[in-house]
Tab-separated table of all heavy atoms in Angstrom:
chain	number	residue	atom	x	y	z
B	18	PHE	N	111.975	69.845	93.258
B	18	PHE	CA	111.234	71.066	93.581
B	18	PHE	C	110.070	70.684	94.457
B	18	PHE	O	109.441	69.647	94.238
B	18	PHE	CB	110.695	71.743	92.313
B	18	PHE	CG	111.774	72.233	91.383
B	18	PHE	CD1	112.105	71.514	90.242
B	18	PHE	CD2	112.455	73.419	91.659
B	18	PHE	CE1	113.085	71.965	89.375
B	18	PHE	CE2	113.448	73.867	90.785
B	18	PHE	CZ	113.759	73.138	89.647
B	25	VAL	N	108.477	67.390	92.925
B	25	VAL	CA	108.851	66.985	91.573
B	25	VAL	C	110.332	66.669	91.573
B	25	VAL	O	111.150	67.498	91.950
B	25	VAL	CB	108.580	68.127	90.559
B	25	VAL	CG1	109.016	67.692	89.163
B	25	VAL	CG2	107.119	68.536	90.569
B	27	ALA	N	113.144	66.586	89.480
B	27	ALA	CA	113.530	67.042	88.147
B	27	ALA	C	114.814	66.373	87.681
B	27	ALA	O	114.984	66.110	86.497
B	27	ALA	CB	113.689	68.566	88.147
B	46	PRO	N	111.941	64.616	76.286
B	46	PRO	CA	110.640	65.272	76.163
B	46	PRO	C	110.543	66.467	77.102
B	46	PRO	O	111.338	66.604	78.025
B	46	PRO	CB	109.650	64.172	76.549
B	46	PRO	CG	110.439	63.198	77.355
B	46	PRO	CD	111.843	63.265	76.861
B	47	SER	N	109.542	67.282	76.837
B	47	SER	CA	109.315	68.452	77.668
B	47	SER	C	109.065	68.031	79.116
B	47	SER	O	108.376	67.052	79.375
B	47	SER	CB	108.101	69.213	77.116
B	47	SER	OG	107.812	70.288	77.953
B	48	GLY	N	109.670	68.697	80.037
B	48	GLY	CA	109.485	68.397	81.452
B	48	GLY	C	110.409	67.325	81.974
B	48	GLY	O	110.317	66.910	83.124
B	49	SER	N	111.363	66.883	81.136
B	49	SER	CA	112.226	65.786	81.555
B	49	SER	C	113.413	66.256	82.391
B	49	SER	O	114.126	65.436	82.952
B	49	SER	CB	112.721	65.024	80.319
B	49	SER	OG	113.417	65.901	79.468
B	50	GLY	N	113.636	67.557	82.460
B	50	GLY	CA	114.706	68.064	83.327
B	50	GLY	C	115.886	68.675	82.599
B	50	GLY	O	116.905	68.987	83.217
B	51	LYS	N	115.764	68.901	81.268
B	51	LYS	CA	116.892	69.417	80.489
B	51	LYS	C	117.328	70.794	80.977
B	51	LYS	O	118.506	71.044	81.244
B	51	LYS	CB	116.508	69.494	78.998
B	51	LYS	CG	116.023	68.183	78.402
B	51	LYS	CD	115.732	68.323	76.926
B	51	LYS	CE	114.609	69.291	76.620
B	51	LYS	NZ	113.262	68.827	77.068
B	52	THR	N	116.332	71.701	81.079
B	52	THR	CA	116.667	73.061	81.490
B	52	THR	C	117.208	73.070	82.921
B	52	THR	O	118.151	73.797	83.233
B	52	THR	CB	115.429	73.965	81.370
B	52	THR	OG1	115.014	73.970	80.005
B	52	THR	CG2	115.728	75.381	81.804
B	53	THR	N	116.631	72.206	83.756
B	53	THR	CA	117.103	72.147	85.142
B	53	THR	C	118.571	71.729	85.184
B	53	THR	O	119.373	72.323	85.909
B	53	THR	CB	116.236	71.165	85.954
B	53	THR	OG1	114.864	71.530	85.810
B	53	THR	CG2	116.610	71.196	87.425
C	1	ADP	N1	111.275	76.426	89.532
C	1	ADP	C1	110.561	75.276	89.514
C	1	ADP	N2	109.671	75.001	90.475
C	1	ADP	C2	108.959	73.848	90.489
C	1	ADP	N3	109.072	72.919	89.535
C	1	ADP	C3	109.950	73.119	88.523
C	1	ADP	C4	110.729	74.318	88.454
C	1	ADP	N4	111.506	74.248	87.352
C	1	ADP	C5	111.214	73.048	86.755
C	1	ADP	N5	110.299	72.388	87.466
C	1	ADP	C6	109.767	71.057	87.142
C	1	ADP	O1	110.872	70.205	86.954
C	1	ADP	C7	110.638	69.346	85.852
C	1	ADP	C8	111.725	69.522	84.818
C	1	ADP	O2	111.591	70.813	84.217
C	1	ADP	P1	112.569	71.355	83.089
C	1	ADP	O3	113.955	71.134	83.527
C	1	ADP	O4	112.179	72.761	82.766
C	1	ADP	O5	112.222	70.420	81.867
C	1	ADP	P2	112.561	70.583	80.333
C	1	ADP	O6	113.492	71.749	80.165
C	1	ADP	O7	113.164	69.274	79.961
C	1	ADP	O8	111.273	70.778	79.612
C	1	ADP	C9	109.268	69.685	85.318
C	1	ADP	O9	108.323	68.787	85.861
C	1	ADP	C10	109.004	71.053	85.848
C	1	ADP	O10	107.626	71.241	86.069
Side-chain angles (χ1 to χ4, degrees):
Chain B
F18 296 102
V25 178
S47 176
S49 59
K51 304 183 297 292
T52 299
T53 306

